[in-house]
Amino acid sequence: MAGSIPRVDVVVIGSGAAGLVAAQEAAAHGCSVLVLSKGQIGRSGATATITGDISVDGATIHDLGLSRKSGDSQDRFYEDTLKGGGYLNDRRLAQAMVSNVGSEVSSLMAAGLKVVGIGHAPGHRFPRGVLVSGMQMLQLLSKKASAAGVKYRDEFYVTDILRENGCAVGVSGYDMRSGVRRTIAAGAVIIAAGGGGMVHPFRTVPEELVGDGYALALQAGAALIDMEMIQFLPCCLVNPPLWRGIQFPWIIGPQSGTRAWLLNKYGERFMARYDAERMEMSTRDIVSRACVREVQEGRGGPGGGVFMSWAHLPQDILDFLPQWYGKPLLRGNWHWEGFDFKDLVARIKQGYAVEVAPAAHFMMGGVHIDERCETALHGLFACGEVAGGVHGANRLSGNACTQFLVQGRVAGRAAAEVAKAEPVVGPQTLRDLAAPEPKKSGSNADAYVLLEKAQSIANAGLNVVRSSDDLNAARDAIRSVVEEAQNSCANLVFDSSYNRRVIDTLEARSAAMTVEAMVLSAIERQESRGAHYRDDFPEPDDRYLRHGIITMQRGVLNYSTMAING
Amino acid sequence: MRITLVRNDPQDPATTRRYDYELPDVGLSSISSALQLLSRTKDSTIGYYLSCRRGMCACCVVRANGAICTACVTPVVDGMVIEPIRQDIQVCDTVVDLSMAKDHQFAFEDEAP
């Protein structure tokens, strides 16, 4: 252990929007704040991937000067959020989210956030999507946090939350750039590490979202809530590897309203069996389930997907799409996000189909928090995607941004209060907090192989369509992967800077622990609700209209249920 | 497929060396995927940065055959030479420091200012 252990008031794990808002808020309350990011500040995390919307109720959008009156209200926004979530939402968190987002958007706009339009996404009865760029949000939020005095370490992987007398008192982790293991004492710790979409082999999320926050919370003694609730985005590209998991076909298809057809390997327009009325324009969950069912029953394509086709339409009709879809989001030269899809669109116009499949997109479940964003461990907070409960069983479009802005503020303020109120931990105690030096023996388990094992178990057991057989098999399979990953981590040698083997090993542990929590939760919810669909229990059953709670004792996960708040 | 990676010599970090690697053909794939595969299967000290995989965050930026590009959305091709974009902001191999908080870093006591 190099040097003495530094102490700050608040440590924030993660530098997406949630973490940056929380950091700025805590600093504004007079705290010394350190943001530890596994990636680079202002760039890493899922916020960067947003070319989308912040959900705000129509009345507030009008007050912000962004649109005319729409008849919408915070109450209606709240109702839609609960309905979309299958009424599994934590009511206090949902109410806070819809009530407090307006001031966040207002302050971002005052800082220069460009609003490119107001969108109207499915599930919202009114247009509520304040369309913005995630990268611009990150730039503004990191500027604001820096101006408030926040300090940072880029590429620092937090591996443990330190606890003493039932309180979070700091963190330790791997400083990737120096290769040194570090411990930092803190009055309060905020987990803002993002979701865990990377536990699926087929996903839309950034690489670092392996579920670190869930693993950290479990190990610290905090609880997880409704971990089975994973949102999938339908019709993402299967191949080539360059485009794997990219939702472009969905964007230029049903998302934008062009009547693309979904076909199985026989060329059959299979949506007729699942939603004969709306067909491909059905809701995301129904389209996702239909696509997976076709593959499961042997009617899929060579890459494990189904086919999307525009061949029945005139060749030039897609050319008009960029004109009305919204210029900043879809450009006339078919550049979308960082990709050049000119050649793909040319092929589509020649009548070729593209193979598509649903990809893991967002975690509704996560760290269990109260209305102050505090976990079961005093002084440990969570905000943003890593925190569960607010979206219930399914998230509406745009509500991810609403969540991270509102919860970031709440967590930052509450953490500041705790950090200021707690007595300073004495220097002797601080030294005792130092994590033991790792053993100097190598492990033979290849980290990326373990990660791939966890992903393949999630793919088999935790997909869009679930069954007790698949889930039980997944539960049996994941245990040994968790144990192997934990052993590998215990034997890690932190002997060089930027060693991807160390990073991959730590990530494999996070992913494996996340999958185990998800599998256990999914087994216990013997009903279908929102994103959780059970083949053997295909209908909602209100006996299960309760939160599923996961805790860990001596390495073993326990499941219990809890009544929904409010 | 063969690619060349310009890396720092592990024994002498001040100098760079060209390392040739053989890659399996997996279809149209990104430079980032190639670097990730090399790190996982050949040498875990190969530094690469990969986050969004959709050309948004720009952290994976490299110089490929002389041109600066985002590695996650740029196809890797046979004979490609991959280098860091700049030496002065290099972290490790192709990884460069693009942090928006460079001027606000936390310093540990034992670190030189």
Side-chain angles (χ1 to χ4, degrees), chain A residues 67-68 73 95 97 176 220 290 326 331 365 500 518 553:
Chain A
S67 76
R68 281 182 286 183
S73 67
Q95 189 63 59
M97 181 176 78
M176 291 152 62
R331 294 188 284 277
R500 293 297 311 202
M518 288 169 166
Q553 268 117 34

Side-chain angles (χ1 to χ4, degrees), chain A residues 172-421:
Chain A
S172 65
Y174 171 56
D175 184 13
M176 291 152 62
R177 289 187 177 179
S178 67
V180 175
R181 196 169 161 79
R182 296 279 190 185
T183 293
I184 299 136
V189 177
I190 300 174
I191 305 177
M198 271 295 288
V199 304
H200 270 272
F202 197 62
R203 72 272 165 174
T204 66
V205 308
E207 290 282 305
E208 58 267 33
L209 268 64
V210 293
D212 291 318
Y214 312 131
L216 285 170
L218 273 181
Q219 287 169 322
L224 305 180
I225 182 170
D226 299 332
M227 285 299 284
E228 69 279 24
M229 297 303 177
I230 305 165
Q231 185 174 61
F232 287 82
L233 204 60
C235 305
C236 298
L237 285 162
V238 170
N239 275 313
L242 181 66
W243 293 338
R244 199 167 162 76
I246 299 297
Q247 67 265 38
F248 184 69
W250 178 251
I251 298 294
I252 65 164
Q255 168 93 2
S256 58
T258 75
R259 272 35 175 188
W261 285 357
L262 280 167
L263 307 172
N264 62 21
K265 74 177 180 189
Y266 303 117
E268 191 183 18
R269 203 176 160 202
F270 59 81
M271 280 307 297
R273 278 199 289 280
Y274 305 92
D275 187 345
E277 196 182 321
R278 293 180 292 182
M279 300 293 283
E280 290 84 0
M281 303 299 291
S282 184
T283 54
R284 288 176 178 189
D285 51 337
I286 293 175
V287 174
S288 293
R289 280 205 289 278
C291 294
V292 167
R293 182 78 77 192
E294 290 299 304
V295 175
Q296 283 178 338
E297 293 176 1
R299 296 187 292 274
V306 293
F307 300 100
M308 186 166 261
S309 166
W310 287 259
H312 59 290
L313 297 173
Q315 281 195 10
D316 56 352
I317 205 159
L318 274 181
D319 292 339
F320 306 115
L321 173 60
Q323 291 174 26
W324 52 265
Y325 185 71
K327 272 259 166 60
L329 304 180
L330 185 60
R331 294 188 284 277
N333 58 3
W334 298 110
H335 279 247
W336 183 79
E337 297 198 331
F339 295 97
D340 176 0
F341 284 121
K342 189 168 69 273
D343 293 346
L344 179 68
V345 173
R347 267 184 74 81
I348 287 170
K349 283 160 64 179
Q350 285 163 22
Y352 291 96
V354 290
E355 195 174 355
V356 296
H361 185 56
F362 188 87
M363 306 285 135
M364 279 73 69
V367 180
H368 183 211
I369 54 171
D370 64 13
E371 66 273 27
R372 294 167 59 250
C373 290
E374 194 166 23
T375 69
L377 180 66
H378 183 58
L380 180 64
F381 298 81
C383 57
E385 187 180 349
V386 75
V390 66
H391 305 295
N394 216 345
R395 173 177 69 79
L396 296 185
S397 177
N399 281 16
C401 296
T402 312
Q403 175 189 20
F404 63 56
L405 291 174
V406 170
Q407 291 185 349
R409 187 76 54 203
V410 172
R413 191 170 308 155
E417 282 164 13
V418 167
K420 288 289 174 194

Side-chain angles (χ1 to χ4, degrees), chain A residues 40 154 207-208 337 499, chain B residues 44 51 53-54 98 105 111:
Chain A
Q40 295 190 6
D154 293 280
E207 290 282 305
E208 58 267 33
E337 297 198 331
N499 191 336
Chain B
S44 74
S51 176
R53 266 195 193 274
R54 47 184 64 215
L98 296 180
Q105 290 289 304
E111 288 175 330

